[in-house]
Amino acid sequence: MKPHRYVAAAIAALAATAVLTACGSGGDTIRVMAAASLVDVMKPLSHAYGESHGGANVQVDAAASSALVQRLKSGATADVLITADTETMDKAVADGVAKDPVVVATNTLVIVVPKGNPGSVTGLDYFAAAGNRSVICDTAVPCGRAADKALGAIGATARPITRAVDVRAALGAVTSGEADAALVYATDARSAGDKVETIAIPNAPVVRYPAAALTADGDDFVDLLISQNGRRILADAGFGAP
């Protein structure tokens, strides 16, 4: 099945907005590779880091966790890696591109539908019915594995119209009207505001976000993430405690 246009658009959007600046007054720059679901909260986190580090800038590369690890394996450099599940981080550690990760936040899988719920979605069974306009993430990325786990728990197999490259692409399918339902994280649903409605999943999978400092410069950013201020920023964005 050919990918829908929102998948390509999501890749282009992430590439175009990959750089976030904590402060515009100069200073050093650190590079953070962050899971796509962190793209919004990275803005206040970057600002907080810049305020406490003499106007330092934070360059953020936001993409699917698996893609970030692959970039590191291919020779890309960064100071911090944050993935949307421990499985991907474990692979990064095994591949020798990360070490000593610490879990900094959690998130929960939810169903999002367009405002008004035109597909009359009531639960996970909608994603198992062929022909329904549902979207879930690719199996290679954390949100896809969480989606398959949720469906497996009810004895169902996913039958989406397509698999999205990351959680923001899945969300974009709903906000653009190309899908009537998607499985995303609670924070992504929150970021869409009144464009979507959220349906809770009983016993929904909880994902854990580990962060690893890849250089000495990255240590301070990870320290921010586990600090009281960092956890407050993450909580304000809807992330759960580690």
Side-chain angles (χ1 to χ4, degrees):
M1 181 178 293
K2 294 183 179 180
H4 284 216
R5 63 180 179 273
Y6 65 80
V7 175
I11 296 173
L14 284 173
T17 60
V19 177
L20 305 178
T21 303
C23 293
S25 57
D28 295 331
T29 297
I30 69 163
R31 298 149 297 175
V32 179
M33 286 187 169
S37 51
L38 293 163
V39 65
D40 292 325
V41 76
M42 287 305 302
K43 297 174 184 178
L45 285 170
S46 297
H47 181 73
Y49 181 86
E51 282 192 326
S52 62
H53 288 78
N57 300 313
V58 180
Q59 178 180 309
V60 179
D61 183 1
S65 298
S66 56
L68 297 176
V69 174
Q70 185 57 49
R71 289 175 198 175
L72 289 171
K73 289 175 62 179
S74 298
T77 59
D79 297 293
V80 180
L81 171 67
I82 315 172
T83 63
D85 69 352
T86 55
E87 182 176 342
T88 305
M89 182 61 79
D90 288 346
K91 187 176 188 306
V93 172
D95 289 339
V97 296
K99 63 178 183 179
D100 302 327
V102 57
V103 175
V104 299
T106 58
N107 217 337
T108 305
L109 200 71
V110 299
I111 300 168
V112 288
V113 299
K115 190 172 182 178
N117 194 5
S120 299
V121 181
T122 58
L124 284 172
D125 56 333
Y126 185 86
F127 295 85
N132 283 345
R133 298 204 315 153
S134 67
V135 171
I136 63 176
C137 293
D138 189 85
T139 55
V141 298
C143 61
R145 289 192 289 271
D148 286 336
K149 181 179 179 180
L151 286 160
I154 64 167
T157 300
R159 291 181 173 82
I161 55 173
T162 193
R163 292 260 187 174
V165 294
D166 60 39
V167 71
R168 283 309 174 105
L171 177 67
V174 170
T175 58
S176 68
E178 294 192 49
D180 289 329
L183 289 173
V184 302
Y185 300 131
T187 55
D188 298 294
R190 177 172 174 169
S191 74
D194 61 6
K195 294 179 181 179
V196 301
E197 296 177 13
T198 301
I199 300 171
I201 301 171
N203 302 311
V206 175
V207 296
R208 303 165 71 210
Y209 290 72
L214 308 182
T215 66
D217 288 339
D219 286 333
D220 283 353
F221 195 86
V222 174
D223 286 344
L224 167 65
L225 295 174
I226 62 176
S227 71
Q228 183 176 358
N229 187 34
R231 289 183 174 175
R232 177 189 59 78
I233 292 171
L234 287 161
D236 286 348
F239 290 88

